[in-house]
Amino acid sequence: MSKFNALRLGAVAAASLAGAFLATLAPAAADALADIEKAKVIKIAVPQDFAPFGSAGLDLKPQGYDIDMANYIGKALGVKVEIVPVTSANRIPYLQTKKVDLVISSLGKNAEREKVIDFSVPYAPFFSGVYGIAGEKIASADALANKTVGATRGAIEEQELTKLAPASATIKRYEDNNATISAFISGQVDLIATGNTVAAVIAEKSASRKPELKFVIKDSPCYVGLNKDEPALLAKVNEIIAKAKTDGTLEQFSQKWLKQPLPATF
C-alpha cells in the first residue's frame, strides 16, 4: 500500500470515529408519548376555578368537563393521570417547562399560541350563542326581528349581536352576567345572548326555564395543548378524541357539564 493511500485510509477512519463520537453526544429525538408510556404516568394541566370545565367539588377534588377528558385520555393510554391545577396565565408555561405533558384547560386556539405550542382536534364546544325557552323558533339572527334579547353589556355576545341583529330587534343590556341570568330566569326576557358555560349555570338554577341553544354567534372550541414536535403524542391524542366523539363520550360530557347536546356543527 502506498504511503498516500495509507494516509487517506487513516483520515477516513479518524473521521468515522469522530462522527460516531459526536453522535453519542447528540441528544436523542424527543418522544413524549414513549416517555409517558414508560413512566406509566401522564401529567395534565386542568383549570382550577373555571366551572363547569374545572373546579373543586364539595370533596375538594377537581371536577368538570376537562377533568373527565383528562381521565379519559389517561385511561385510553393505560397510564395513571396526575392532575395539575393551573390558571389561564400559567397553563402554557407549565407545558413549555415540561411540568405537564398536556394542557386540558378550556384552551382556545389562535395564531400567537400556535407559534409556541401545538393543538389537538377540538374536544369541547365553547361558544357564544342566542338561547331561549322551548318553543321560540329562532334559527338565525334575522329571526330576531321584533324580538327582545337580553345580553350582558360589553360582553362579546352583546357586541356581536349588535352587529348581527336586525334593526327591529331590541337588545336589553344588563350590567353583569348575574343580572342577565336573573332576567332570563324571572321571565323578563325569553331570549338571551350568552356563552354556553353561562347557559349551563342557568340550566342548573332553573330546570323550568332551561335555555335551549337557538344559534351560534361565535365559535371558539377547546383544544388539548401539547409541545411542538411531538407527532406521536399528537396523533395519539387526536385518535383518542376521535374515538370519544364516535362512541358518544363527548356527548355525555356535554350533557353532564354543559347541560346541552354537542352542537350539530361540532
Side-chain angles (χ1 to χ4, degrees), residues 21-31:
F21 176 70
L22 289 173
T24 64
L25 296 179
D31 188 345

Side-chain angles (χ1 to χ4, degrees), residues 59 77 87-88 100 103 109-110 130-131 136 156 169 179 188 196 207 218-219 228 234 254:
D59 58 0
L77 289 173
T87 63
S88 293
V100 296
V103 173
K109 181 166 63 173
N110 59 41
V130 169
Y131 290 81
E136 285 281 2
I156 191 168
Q188 296 176 47
N196 59 324
K218 189 175 180 63
D219 193 19
K228 290 281 190 185
L234 177 58
S254 185

Side-chain angles (χ1 to χ4, degrees), residues 26-90:
D31 188 345
L33 178 59
D35 291 343
I36 290 164
E37 291 173 337
K38 183 178 179 180
K40 295 184 171 15
V41 175
I42 185 167
K43 293 175 286 185
I44 302 179
V46 300
Q48 62 185 8
D49 190 19
F50 189 52
F53 287 94
S55 60
L58 294 176
D59 58 0
L60 300 182
K61 293 180 180 179
Q63 65 173 21
Y65 193 122
D66 287 353
I67 285 75
D68 282 0
M69 190 71 233
N71 287 324
Y72 181 88
I73 288 177
K75 184 177 180 181
L77 289 173
V79 300
K80 179 184 176 182
V81 176
E82 184 179 321
I83 295 294
V84 182
V86 294
T87 63
S88 293
N90 68 18

Side-chain angles (χ1 to χ4, degrees), residues 113-114 116-120 224-230 234:
R113 287 175 179 166
E114 285 188 288
V116 294
I117 66 171
D118 279 340
F119 293 86
S120 70
V224 176
L226 61 161
N227 280 311
K228 290 281 190 185
D229 302 318
E230 293 291 352
L234 177 58

Side-chain angles (χ1 to χ4, degrees), residues 20-261:
F21 176 70
L22 289 173
T24 64
L25 296 179
D31 188 345
L33 178 59
D35 291 343
I36 290 164
E37 291 173 337
K38 183 178 179 180
K40 295 184 171 15
V41 175
I42 185 167
K43 293 175 286 185
I44 302 179
V46 300
Q48 62 185 8
D49 190 19
F50 189 52
F53 287 94
S55 60
L58 294 176
D59 58 0
L60 300 182
K61 293 180 180 179
Q63 65 173 21
Y65 193 122
D66 287 353
I67 285 75
D68 282 0
M69 190 71 233
N71 287 324
Y72 181 88
I73 288 177
K75 184 177 180 181
L77 289 173
V79 300
K80 179 184 176 182
V81 176
E82 184 179 321
I83 295 294
V84 182
V86 294
T87 63
S88 293
N90 68 18
R91 55 190 172 176
I92 292 178
Y94 266 46
L95 180 64
Q96 293 175 304
T97 55
K98 306 294 180 70
K99 291 181 180 178
V100 296
D101 302 300
L102 299 175
V103 173
I104 305 180
S105 182
S106 58
L107 185 66
K109 181 166 63 173
N110 59 41
E112 287 302 308
R113 287 175 179 166
E114 285 188 288
K115 292 176 182 177
V116 294
I117 66 171
D118 279 340
F119 293 86
S120 70
V121 294
Y123 71 89
F126 194 87
F127 57 87
S128 303
V130 169
Y131 290 81
I133 59 172
E136 285 281 2
K137 304 296 182 184
I138 306 291
S140 67
D142 290 341
L144 295 174
N146 301 311
K147 300 282 188 179
T148 298
V149 188
T152 301
R153 189 184 305 278
I156 191 168
E157 301 87 24
E158 184 257 338
Q159 294 171 5
E160 292 297 317
L161 190 63
T162 301
K163 300 174 190 174
L164 298 172
S168 62
T170 299
I171 301 175
K172 197 167 184 180
R173 294 169 174 85
Y174 299 92
E175 295 307 313
D176 55 44
N177 275 333
N178 287 333
T180 305
I181 291 170
S182 296
F184 183 82
I185 291 176
S186 65
Q188 296 176 47
V189 291
D190 290 333
L191 293 167
I192 56 169
T194 192
N196 59 324
T197 55
V198 175
V201 171
I202 297 173
E204 283 280 2
K205 290 186 174 182
S206 178
S208 62
R209 283 180 64 83
K210 182 179 177 181
E212 295 182 354
L213 177 65
K214 302 306 177 181
F215 66 90
V216 173
I217 295 174
K218 189 175 180 63
D219 193 19
S220 180
C222 303
Y223 302 82
V224 176
L226 61 161
N227 280 311
K228 290 281 190 185
D229 302 318
E230 293 291 352
L233 182 58
L234 177 58
K236 191 64 178 178
V237 169
N238 283 342
E239 175 190 313
I240 292 169
I241 294 172
K243 182 178 183 298
K245 185 175 180 180
T246 302
D247 68 16
T249 298
L250 295 188
E251 176 67 24
Q252 292 172 17
F253 290 170
S254 185
Q255 294 279 4
K256 177 182 178 181
W257 296 109
L258 305 179
K259 311 303 179 186
Q260 292 284 337

